[in-house]
Amino acid sequence: MVSRVLFVEDDSKIRQVISASLTDEGFDVVEAPTGEYATSEVDLESLDLAIIDLRLPGINGIDVVRNLRQRTTIPLVILTAHGDSSDVVTGLEAGADDFLNKPIAAKELVARLRAILRRTTDGATPDPAVATSVGSVRIDSSRYEATVADARLHLTRTEFGVLRALVHASPATLSRQALLEAVWGYDYLGDSRLVDMQIYRLRQKLESHGLKEKLLTVRGVGFRLIP
Amino acid sequence: MITFTLRSKTVFMGTAVAALLSLAASLSTFFLSREYLLRQRDEVAVTQVRAAARLAVSTLTRSEDPLEVLLSGAQLLPGARAALYQDGSWLVSGVGLATEDIPSDLIRSLESGSAGRQRVSIRDESAVVVGFPIQTTSDTWFIGVMSLQELERTLSVLRGALAIGGLLAIVGGGSVGWWLSRRVMEPLHDISSTAEQISGGDLTKRAKEPREPDLARIAQTFNEMTTSLRARIDREARFGAVVSHELRSPLTVIKGAAELIAAKRDELPTRAQLGSDLLGERVHQFERILNDLIEMSRYQSGGVQPVLEELSVKSLIETLCHRNGLDPRIIEVEDALVVVDVRRFQQVFENLHRNAELYAGGLEAIRSEVQGEFIALHFDDAGSGIPKGDYEYIFEPFVRGNQHSAVPGSGLGLSITAEHVRIMGGAIIVGRSPEGGARFTTRLRRGESSE
């Protein structure tokens, strides 16, 4: 299956060269030169992933992320200036799932996209021995759906991935590193803020379904889901 | 040479000036009053002895007995000390007076027929001796002795008073010097401690402006200088940041283009393959230098916030060694929790690793040592060590071993490493490993959850 990727970037030369590399690697790239184009002209249904440069003229990248997040569950990857912590934090808060530092390298980008797509579209039937529910929380990996007491839980792909990992591991505690590996495909040293932000969102969504203090933080270790 | 502080010099000068002035004043007062008092005393003595001599003369007209003559004169003098010379022989009255006590200069002037007076010391008692030739008879002299003892006592009291005054003046001068120096030095001290803080990197500090206009001027100038310095540093940091950021977009394109070419490397002629390889390698290097510059300018403009978390130092090092293709056998790290910013620690590790590879034949061992609330990680390389003189410069930006100018790099690696470690609440030092190579030690805080 060819993955369709939205690439929002104002610099036409960068767009050109990155699209060329992604196309060579078998991606179908939808180019968007502005935030306005990305939020109004692109058919989100056909997309598997979006890459958004945070520095855009007109509607800025953060607003694009916020807009897309409200309308789609696909992974959103932001491009941030090297080591700029505040960009990463605002991006993640707006709803981004992952970030890459500029200048991006096509090779690294492709590896990153593959890892994310593999983890979020990996519909393989889980081992029957592995739990698919914890308490009233039930997950259906084939349809990326989660329910709380049969009520549908609206999750992004990444949130679903985190929940799935926690459900599979329950009642054991998952470390940040384990979550980074299971959901983002990072090895040991990913950015722990990615996990914290998703846990925060997931916890809010669970709480809105009346599940308070079920997703616990174990200090110095990680997170666990209890029935 | 011993150097004195401005403060002690001021106090010393105050004391010295006061001492000199009071010494001069005391001495002149003492000698002037002494002369004046002595002259008065002399005149009194002359008048008294003259009266005594007259009485003796009048007695001489009535009596032939020299003793009677002497005593009639001597009774007018305190202590009745007098002498009469008549016909070549001396007659002396009064306690403790002998003919030898009469000075020869006086006798000589009497021999020539004129009166005289002289100050002498008779058995440690100062006195004035006055002699008159008795006009009626030749070679007959009347000599009276007047004690100066009382005057000496007055003078010694005066001496004491002046000495005490002098001492007070010296102490006063010293105190004035101390007070003045304090008045002047306090604002200067404030400025110098502010300057220290500023040189420590805190450019927001300003010196207090003292009330004295002259000193306030110094503080103002100093503060203006700091402000303009800060503006300048900010401008430079901004310039660096802007330039680095602006370089990023073209670099992204160049990098992408290089990768597009490299992806078709097999279809290229040999020459073009060589070009593609060189391009890829140099672009990578350029990117690393650019990232270093951006990182450094970020530290210089301040406000860097680390993302701290507690991790097992052992698995951290193991993972990083694995990632960087290092032999896991070099790891001699115990299991403890460490507080790190993962991205920054990774850069610290990679910088130390790359430095060791470039300059010293690679890392030989990574050792750990728990030091109270900290855990020290020693990165020991296989080289021959770093000269001690370079220890303090090595973490400065753009400092590179001069024999290594052929090795590519920005010269920022170690200073960024030091900044990274610092922002994580730790410190980095360089020393010598037990095997004789260089040892870079990062001291990082231990996790609280560790038992």
Side-chain angles (χ1 to χ4, degrees):
Chain A
M1 195 191 101
V2 177
S3 298
R4 229 172 127 76
V5 174
L6 172 65
F7 184 33
V8 191
E9 162 68 61
D10 61 313
D11 189 321
S12 64
K13 295 283 182 288
I14 296 182
R15 226 162 48 227
Q16 224 176 323
V17 77
I18 297 294
S19 304
S21 291
L22 290 179
T23 310
D24 279 1
E25 292 291 333
F27 289 90
D28 187 3
V29 183
V30 180
E31 294 180 35
T34 61
E36 287 83 351
Y37 184 91
T39 51
S40 57
E41 305 287 324
V42 178
D43 171 23
L44 296 180
E45 292 305 312
S46 65
L47 294 176
D48 293 304
L49 191 144
I51 306 162
I52 304 116
D53 185 358
L54 285 190
R55 301 279 152 96
L56 290 173
I59 302 182
N60 70 34
I62 297 292
D63 289 333
V64 174
V65 170
R66 216 169 270 136
N67 177 291
L68 294 182
R69 182 78 296 159
Q70 280 167 4
R71 296 160 52 210
T72 178
T73 63
I74 60 168
L76 304 177
V77 178
I78 51 173
L79 298 182
T80 61
H82 176 86
D84 194 333
S85 237
S86 57
D87 264 12
V88 174
V89 173
T90 35
L92 292 180
E93 278 170 359
D97 299 287
D98 203 350
F99 67 92
L100 279 170
N101 285 325
K102 289 192 291 185
I104 41 170
K107 233 186 286 172
E108 189 194 340
L109 180 60
V110 167
R112 203 60 262 131
L113 297 188
R114 290 235 165 94
I116 297 167
L117 289 170
R118 191 164 52 242
R119 256 102 189 151
T120 51
T121 59
D122 178 12
T125 6
D127 188 333
V130 173
T132 53
S133 68
V134 172
S136 58
V137 180
R138 170 170 290 280
I139 54 164
D140 181 347
S141 290
S142 60
R143 288 184 295 155
Y144 313 110
E145 272 181 19
T147 52
V148 174
D150 294 332
R152 173 91 186 267
L153 199 54
H154 294 280
L155 299 178
T156 66
R157 287 292 170 88
T158 308
E159 286 160 1
F160 179 80
V162 172
L163 184 61
R164 181 171 61 182
L166 286 166
V167 167
H168 286 177
S170 184
T173 303
L174 270 187
S175 67
R176 283 188 175 80
Q177 285 74 37
L179 276 168
L180 276 169
E181 199 173 337
V183 183
W184 283 265
Y186 278 110
D187 63 6
Y188 188 73
L189 298 169
D191 192 314
S192 60
R193 286 174 301 181
L194 296 174
V195 179
D196 293 350
M197 188 52 71
Q198 297 301 330
I199 290 284
Y200 170 76
R201 290 177 193 286
L202 196 54
R203 193 174 274 153
Q204 280 194 322
K205 288 184 178 176
L206 288 174
E207 282 181 6
S208 70
H209 281 74
L211 293 181
K212 286 203 166 67
E213 292 174 22
K214 296 295 181 195
L215 175 47
L216 304 176
T217 303
V218 184
R219 211 179 118 68
V221 185
F223 306 95
R224 65 190 288 223
L225 190 67
I226 55 165
Chain B
M1 204 186 95
I2 307 163
T3 49
F4 294 99
T5 60
L6 184 54
R7 187 98 200 249
S8 58
K9 274 189 255 182
T10 316
V11 174
F12 176 75
M13 284 301 284
T15 316
V17 167
L20 276 177
L21 285 177
S22 68
L23 189 70
S26 308
L27 285 179
S28 57
T29 309
F30 179 75
F31 283 110
L32 283 175
S33 2
R34 184 163 172 264
E35 265 323 293
Y36 175 75
L37 290 173
L38 276 175
R39 202 170 310 129
Q40 280 215 318
R41 195 72 196 135
D42 278 356
E43 274 159 27
V44 169
V46 169
T47 316
Q48 246 173 319
V49 175
R50 185 185 286 127
R54 268 199 204 115
L55 198 59
V57 170
S58 68
T59 313
L60 191 64
T61 53
R62 289 186 276 110
S63 163
E64 283 292 310
D65 184 7
L67 186 63
E68 199 180 328
V69 174
L70 173 65
L71 289 177
S72 70
Q75 66 179 346
L76 279 182
L77 301 175
R81 286 189 294 184
L84 187 73
Y85 180 80
Q86 199 174 22
D87 306 328
S89 68
W90 282 99
L91 202 60
V92 178
S93 84
V95 184
L97 184 67
T99 40
E100 302 85 64
D101 293 330
I102 294 158
S104 45
D105 285 350
L106 181 65
I107 295 171
R108 231 170 283 127
S109 106
L110 287 168
E111 274 168 351
S112 64
S114 52
R117 78 173 163 203
Q118 196 163 350
R119 273 176 223 148
V120 290
S121 169
I122 301 166
R123 284 176 231 3
D124 298 330
E125 181 195 339
S126 68
V128 59
V129 181
V130 186
F132 284 102
I134 290 168
Q135 313 283 310
T136 47
T137 340
S138 64
D139 277 353
T140 305
W141 313 322
F142 181 83
I143 288 169
V145 177
M146 295 287 286
S147 172
L148 291 177
Q149 198 79 342
E150 218 160 301
L151 180 65
E152 287 292 332
R153 262 201 297 279
T154 312
L155 284 177
S156 90
V157 169
L158 180 67
R159 214 166 26 228
L162 288 175
I164 289 168
L167 275 179
L168 285 177
I170 290 170
V171 171
S175 324
V176 167
W178 183 79
W179 179 78
L180 265 182
S181 66
R182 208 176 88 124
R183 190 107 174 144
V184 174
M185 295 309 287
E186 218 160 359
L188 292 181
H189 269 308
D190 183 52
I191 290 176
S192 82
S193 73
T194 311
E196 249 165 58
Q197 284 170 315
I198 287 170
S199 71
D202 187 355
L203 279 166
T204 58
K205 285 277 175 296
R206 292 292 179 272
K208 274 204 295 280
E209 286 184 20
R211 269 171 299 166
E212 269 80 3
D214 289 339
L215 293 174
R217 187 82 202 99
I218 296 176
Q220 274 166 12
T221 316
F222 177 81
N223 286 342
E224 279 161 21
M225 183 196 75
T226 314
T227 308
S228 72
L229 191 65
R230 190 179 180 201
R232 201 183 174 132
I233 288 172
D234 285 352
R235 209 158 48 228
E236 270 166 23
R238 226 174 14 248
F239 175 76
V242 167
V243 167
S244 317
H245 282 106
E246 288 306 312
L247 284 174
R248 254 203 292 239
S249 295
L251 180 61
T252 307
V253 178
I254 295 169
K255 202 172 157 184
E259 278 171 349
L260 280 177
I261 297 169
K264 299 271 181 280
R265 190 181 185 277
D266 296 343
E267 299 166 25
L268 297 173
T270 326
R271 274 286 173 101
Q273 282 183 359
L274 178 69
S276 165
D277 294 348
L278 281 174
L279 183 63
E281 186 190 308
R282 291 288 141 154
V283 165
H284 180 61
Q285 189 185 319
F286 181 19
E287 184 188 357
R288 208 162 53 213
I289 294 173
L290 187 63
N291 283 343
D292 279 356
L293 283 171
I294 291 170
E295 197 90 55
M296 202 63 209
S297 68
R298 210 183 297 284
Y299 272 117
Q300 277 169 354
S301 49
V304 173
Q305 286 296 325
V307 183
L308 295 176
E309 58 184 306
E310 292 180 5
L311 291 175
S312 150
V313 67
K314 196 169 186 213
S315 21
L316 187 63
I317 296 293
E318 280 169 356
T319 310
L320 285 168
C321 281
H322 175 71
R323 257 199 200 187
N324 287 279
L326 283 163
D327 189 341
R329 278 173 298 183
I330 69 167
I331 305 172
E332 299 169 32
V333 174
E334 58 208 289
D335 207 5
L337 285 180
V338 66
V339 178
V340 287
D341 176 318
V342 171
R343 186 185 71 81
R344 293 195 162 84
F345 186 79
Q346 193 176 339
Q347 276 191 31
V348 168
F349 184 95
E350 280 164 7
N351 281 345
L352 293 178
H353 162 56
R354 198 166 54 234
N355 265 14
E357 294 272 301
L358 289 176
Y359 301 122
L363 286 174
E364 202 168 53
I366 301 173
R367 302 177 164 114
S368 75
E369 195 182 312
V370 170
Q371 300 173 338
E373 288 175 23
F374 289 86
I375 180 154
L377 286 170
H378 306 301
F379 294 83
D380 297 341
D381 70 29
S384 52
I386 291 166
K388 264 214 166 72
D390 290 350
Y391 284 4
E392 52 180 315
Y393 306 111
I394 202 162
F395 296 108
E396 297 278 316
F398 306 112
V399 170
R400 311 177 60 198
N402 44 7
Q403 70 271 39
H404 298 309
S405 49
V407 180
S410 63
L412 285 172
L414 276 179
S415 43
I416 289 172
T417 301
E419 293 285 359
H420 280 337
V421 176
R422 196 179 53 82
I423 204 95
M424 292 190 272
I428 185 166
I429 50 166
V430 62
R432 181 168 285 273
S433 78
E435 291 82 14
R439 157 173 281 189
F440 285 91
T441 302
T442 63
R443 226 165 151 253
L444 291 165
R445 276 188 291 140
R446 288 171 69 203
E448 282 172 17
S449 341
S450 46
E451 291 89 311

